[in-house]
Amino acid sequence: MLPDHQFLRIPGPSPIPPSVQRAMNQPMIGHRDQETKHLLHSIQPALKPIFGTKQNVLIMSGSGTASLESAVVNAVHPGDKVLVIVTGAFGDRFVQICAEYQIAINRHDVEWGEAVEPGAIKDYLKNHPGIKAVFATFCETSTGVLNPIQELGQIIRQHSDALFIVDGVSCVGGVEVKMDAWAIDILISGSQKALMLPPGLTFAAVSERAWKVIEKNDRPSFYLDLTKYRDQLENDTTPFTPAVSLLFGLKQMLELIEQEGLEEAFARHRQMMNMTRSAFRSLGIPLLTSDKAASPTTTAIRPDDFDPDILRNVLKKEFNLTVAGGQKHLKSKIFRIGHMGYCSPADILQTISIIEVALRKIGKQVELGSGTRAAQEILLSGGS
């Protein structure tokens, strides 16, 4: 094993393209200088299609959790009734944030590994009038589930006046999203997942409907006040010091997506998902989610005859391949493979091949090459 030869296959942070790394190595510029204004101005037109919106996409320095908190603190008041759809650890994070701000939480729990049923939300809204906002996680990386956001948006708009607030941190850039057409009011994301950047940038796109609510919210907020970011963006600047090097990288990342094509990027992610799922089926190792609920950016595997943490340790120690473990009650029960952003079908073939060898090393009897062959067949068929 070469010390510097690392294979990162977790659900974020994801690998960084070399051209993005080079872009971030550019000499620093003044954050209030004209160069930074030009940079911010040039980024907006390319960001909007990724979010599926005509609205400007606000850019803040912070983690994905900062964007979750910004949505809560701007869109709802203490005491407001909200519905939080919890399909995993990051849906639960919305609950924790709302609790910190004294929001009246209505919680809809779904078994981990399953996607929410839109009909259940329809019934809930009919029976619980006065909900001010519905929070949902698009891709739940703790389980590898992709929730039916389009259907949820239609139901929420038809059966309530609630704002629809969506955590797209781990899938925006890797799956199709049409914020405006799907009636999403606030769509948030982060830089370190399918957007192929290091951690440190967070994004929020806000509908006109949501702005009307936010503008009436008199709760004190300083750094996370979205109106400040909106107003300053009109002048191609930010209210606080931006992460300039990450903005350089963001511009280059957007150029890479433009070169590949957005639809092609989505198809690549679906293909990698199908390759990964087919490989583990061929190896006889159970998947956590159904095909219908599966995310194109993360796959969760739930073995029934070996300890996933032992496998992960062998992968890391002997091959420098990092895959993720389970969270909360799924800890030591699943492992997760990230296939998002700067990741190709060739990377998946390599990952599956290494995992096959590691499985044999821990005593799991698998036919070497069977998983790789299954993934190869998906690739050759063009299956996406």
Side-chain angles (χ1 to χ4, degrees), residues 23-261:
M24 292 188 297
N25 285 334
Q26 293 180 66
M28 185 54 56
I29 59 177
H31 67 291
R32 300 300 181 208
D33 288 351
Q34 201 63 36
E35 294 96 329
T36 303
K37 288 179 177 289
H38 287 317
L39 185 59
L40 286 166
H41 185 80
S42 67
I43 284 168
Q44 279 300 318
L47 264 182
K48 292 178 182 181
I50 296 174
F51 282 72
T53 184
K54 295 180 180 179
Q55 303 295 326
N56 282 331
V57 179
L58 311 180
I59 304 172
M60 299 177 284
S61 299
S63 69
T65 301
S67 63
L68 270 63
E69 184 166 351
S70 73
V72 172
V73 74
N74 282 270
V76 291
H77 294 77
D80 280 353
K81 291 196 297 183
V82 302
L83 173 60
V84 183
I85 301 170
V86 180
T87 55
F90 293 96
D92 188 63
R93 185 163 297 182
F94 262 139
V95 171
Q96 295 175 50
I97 295 169
C98 287
E100 288 289 335
Y101 286 99
Q102 296 82 49
I103 308 301
I105 302 164
N106 293 262
R107 178 175 177 143
H108 179 79
D109 280 285
V110 178
E111 183 176 349
W112 287 32
E114 296 182 2
V116 64
E117 286 292 336
I121 302 306
K122 176 181 177 180
D123 293 341
Y124 197 98
L125 292 172
K126 284 183 175 180
N127 294 325
H128 296 79
I131 297 290
K132 298 295 185 181
V134 177
F135 294 88
T137 310
F138 198 166
C139 170
E140 178 53 74
T141 43
S142 65
T143 61
V145 160
L146 194 76
N147 281 305
I149 295 301
Q150 180 178 2
E151 292 87 345
L152 288 172
Q154 294 169 349
I155 284 171
I156 292 165
R157 187 60 58 88
Q158 290 171 2
H159 298 282
S160 77
D161 294 322
L163 296 178
F164 186 29
I165 300 171
V166 176
D167 166 8
V169 170
S170 60
C171 63
V172 168
V175 302
E176 180 182 54
V177 57
K178 296 182 178 180
M179 174 181 160
D180 296 346
W182 295 357
I184 300 172
D185 290 297
I186 302 179
L187 176 60
I188 51 186
S189 192
S191 56
Q192 75 275 22
K193 308 277 188 173
L195 295 179
M196 301 186 287
L197 290 163
L201 289 183
T202 187
F203 307 91
V206 182
S207 71
E208 292 296 335
R209 185 168 172 265
W211 279 125
K212 292 178 181 178
V213 174
I214 292 171
E215 288 168 351
K216 295 177 182 177
N217 191 344
D218 57 1
R219 169 191 290 162
S221 180
F222 190 73
Y223 189 80
L224 296 179
D225 182 350
L226 293 180
T227 64
K228 293 177 181 177
Y229 291 88
R230 178 197 61 185
D231 296 346
Q232 290 299 315
L233 192 56
E234 293 295 323
N235 298 315
D236 296 321
T237 187
T238 57
F240 311 106
T241 304
V244 177
S245 295
L246 289 175
L247 293 179
F248 286 140
L250 174 59
K251 187 174 190 302
Q252 176 60 26
M253 178 277 291
L254 293 169
E255 291 178 4
L256 291 178
I257 290 181
E258 183 177 2
Q259 290 170 17
E260 181 180 13

Side-chain angles (χ1 to χ4, degrees), residues 307-328:
D307 186 334
D309 287 345
I310 293 176
L311 174 66
R312 291 176 57 233
N313 289 336
V314 170
L315 290 171
K316 180 65 176 177
K317 182 178 179 180
E318 299 195 23
F319 301 99
N320 234 343
L321 170 61
T322 305
V323 299
Q327 295 177 296
K328 297 193 175 182

